[in-house]
Amino acid sequence: MPITNAQEKFVHELADMYDAEHQFLEAMGRMREMASDESLRMMLEEHMQQTEEQIQNLEEVFAELGEEPKRQECMGAKGLIDEGARMMEEVSSPELRDSVIAGAATKAEHYEMVGYADLIDGAEMLKKRKALRLLEQNREQESSAARRLERIAPRLGRAAA
Ligand SMILES: [Fe+2]
């Protein structure tokens, strides 16, 4: 779709994030299946629930802009997911796999945080107050998920060593 103004740019980025959230939701389901560590599994489970809410938030943002929700294939998310999946296939122990999963999930959270920061700037510029609040809520959830993953990563790394 052509981008000729700030609102179109915003909608394009929104469609990209909307797709990324769907892709990550699916990927987290696969990671949860493959994870052994109980707290890692729980964390993924909880963040999957949050991601479902985030998808609804994005749908409300589309609505505020008078747009139908649409997915624009997010190549960044796809690349991160493919990279994580390849490593998960190559690891030789469940402990190493957990450590790989935590690392891949943390990268995804940081990628999402940057995406939300851009969207928040866009919503501010377009003076979409409700969208701004919803996007800030999503970014906060991503950053707390990243912090929680970073807290358990050293323990998982030691177990894998
Ligand atoms: Fe996330």
Side-chain angles (χ1 to χ4, degrees):
M1 49 186 164
I3 301 172
T4 60
N5 60 45
Q7 171 142 344
E8 284 170 5
K9 173 177 175 282
F10 181 80
V11 171
H12 185 101
E13 287 171 341
L14 189 63
D16 200 271
M17 183 56 84
Y18 188 58
D19 183 65
E21 292 291 11
H22 281 91
Q23 286 194 52
F24 285 134
L25 182 58
E26 240 187 84
M28 280 189 286
R30 288 193 297 271
M31 290 195 283
R32 188 195 48 188
E33 295 301 311
M34 295 181 89
S36 313
D37 183 84
E38 201 45 48
S39 55
L40 179 61
R41 287 171 63 93
M42 251 175 55
M43 224 172 266
L44 289 166
E45 175 72 44
E46 278 171 32
H47 196 54
M48 285 174 72
Q49 285 168 16
Q50 287 182 327
T51 303
E52 279 168 15
E53 290 168 30
Q54 290 172 358
I55 287 173
Q56 287 174 14
N57 282 353
L58 292 177
E59 286 166 358
E60 284 186 49
V61 175
F62 276 113
E64 194 188 359
L65 292 153
E67 298 274 343
E68 285 295 320
K70 57 177 171 283
R71 290 172 66 167
Q72 162 88 25
E73 189 181 21
C74 176
M75 300 308 287
K78 188 173 182 297
L80 285 169
I81 291 166
D82 287 350
E83 185 182 82
R86 202 180 50 201
M87 273 186 87
M88 271 184 264
E89 278 169 24
E90 286 169 2
V91 292
S92 59
S93 73
E95 290 79 15
L96 277 169
R97 187 173 297 114
D98 282 348
S99 179
V100 164
I101 289 170
T106 308
K107 279 186 196 169
E109 298 315 321
H110 282 271
Y111 180 77
E112 291 178 300
M113 282 155 67
V114 175
Y116 280 117
D118 267 347
L119 284 168
I120 286 165
D121 286 347
E124 249 164 15
M125 201 179 64
L126 295 167
K127 299 192 176 11
K128 302 289 179 192
R129 297 177 64 93
K130 189 179 164 204
L132 187 63
R133 185 177 54 72
L134 293 164
L135 293 165
E136 277 171 346
Q137 195 179 311
N138 284 14
R139 180 177 59 177
E140 190 39 55
Q141 285 182 341
E142 307 299 16
S143 99
S144 83
R147 282 197 302 271
R148 291 177 65 196
L149 284 162
E150 282 158 1
R151 257 196 310 262
I152 65 161
R155 178 173 65 72
L156 296 177
R158 281 194 300 275

